[in-house]
Amino acid sequence: MTDKLGKILTAATTCIARNGVRGLRVNDVAKEAGVSSGLLYYHFTDRAGLLAATLDYINKQVGKDDTPASPAAADGDRHLRHLLLDEIKDDPEVRRNSVAWNELRACSVFEQDLSEPLSRTTAEWNREIARALVAAGHGAGEDEAAATAEILTCLVEGISGRWLSGFVSTDHARSLLAAAVDSLTGGRPATLQETAGHDAG
């Protein structure tokens, strides 16, 4: 992805987080990105194309881990926790992406153009978590890992909604997710200090 495309998609994410999907205007995204609206239509064809691309962009931004996991089970478990817990942390970019994702998911009920890209990006997210579960030695097979991954991503979305609404603190939300991972994988329970410690990363 070029820097200009990344700038446009970041601007789209910001506009969705600020004004919601229904308030999204292509001209506003162009202004936020500092480019012409014609350039957006050139790359994305229409508003629906821009929304679909923004969903893909957010999906790729969340849970980025610059440290590749090694074959060791302990490192695989760390990578799994990173992918899940780093969706909730005190970081402006993470919060913006999370607000935009939740807004896109909620509006897909009413905007049919969002249903297919949302379904696709959610399936990609589930597969990524399932692969991480297998790499960490959790699950008897791919089917079990896929089921566990789907439960975990549903929990992330639900807890994230409460976190964004201010009903739970960042530390508490992360500790709930850590407890869910432990419960579903039989992993070593993480302390609140460990889960909160990821915020600094």
Side-chain angles (χ1 to χ4, degrees):
M1 178 184 296
T2 66
D3 289 344
K4 186 162 285 187
L5 277 177
K7 190 173 182 180
I8 291 169
L9 293 171
T10 297
T13 305
T14 299
C15 289
I16 291 169
R18 183 189 301 144
N19 302 316
V21 170
R22 293 179 184 179
L24 182 74
R25 302 288 179 270
V26 171
N27 287 343
D28 293 339
V29 175
K31 184 176 180 181
E32 181 77 23
V35 300
S36 69
S37 57
L39 186 63
L40 270 72
Y41 286 111
Y42 172 79
H43 284 294
F44 307 107
T45 306
D46 54 20
R47 181 177 178 275
L50 176 61
L51 288 172
T54 304
L55 263 171
D56 284 335
Y57 177 73
I58 294 170
N59 195 45
K60 289 178 174 63
Q61 295 305 302
V62 176
K64 275 187 174 179
D65 191 351
D66 296 330
T67 307
S70 76
D75 196 51
D77 192 63
R78 182 203 64 78
H79 181 64
L80 171 66
R81 287 174 180 275
H82 169 83
L83 288 173
L84 293 166
L85 271 64
D86 273 17
E87 300 230 17
I88 297 176
K89 64 179 183 177
D90 289 325
D91 177 276
E93 184 178 344
V94 170
R95 185 175 288 272
R96 180 201 66 207
N97 288 344
S98 190
V99 169
W101 175 273
N102 277 276
E103 172 68 15
L104 286 158
R105 181 168 54 85
C107 285
S108 69
V109 175
F110 306 102
E111 297 210 20
Q112 292 303 307
D113 287 342
L114 284 173
S115 295
E116 187 281 326
L118 184 68
S119 177
R120 176 169 40 79
T121 53
T122 299
E124 289 172 2
W125 184 24
N126 287 339
R127 285 193 293 271
E128 182 177 21
I129 299 302
R131 286 192 296 269
L133 283 161
V134 171
H138 302 306
E142 290 184 4
D143 289 344
E144 183 179 337
T148 301
E150 189 164 7
I151 293 168
L152 286 169
T153 57
C154 285
L155 285 170
V156 169
E157 287 186 337
I159 293 171
S160 172
R162 293 193 180 188
W163 166 63
L164 291 170
S165 300
F167 297 146
V168 295
S169 69
T170 302
D171 285 349
H172 187 57
R174 289 170 62 87
S175 69
L176 289 173
L177 278 177
V181 173
D182 295 333
S183 177
L184 290 167
T185 65
R188 175 186 64 81
T191 66
L192 181 60
Q193 288 175 325
E194 287 174 321
T195 57
H198 285 289
D199 289 340

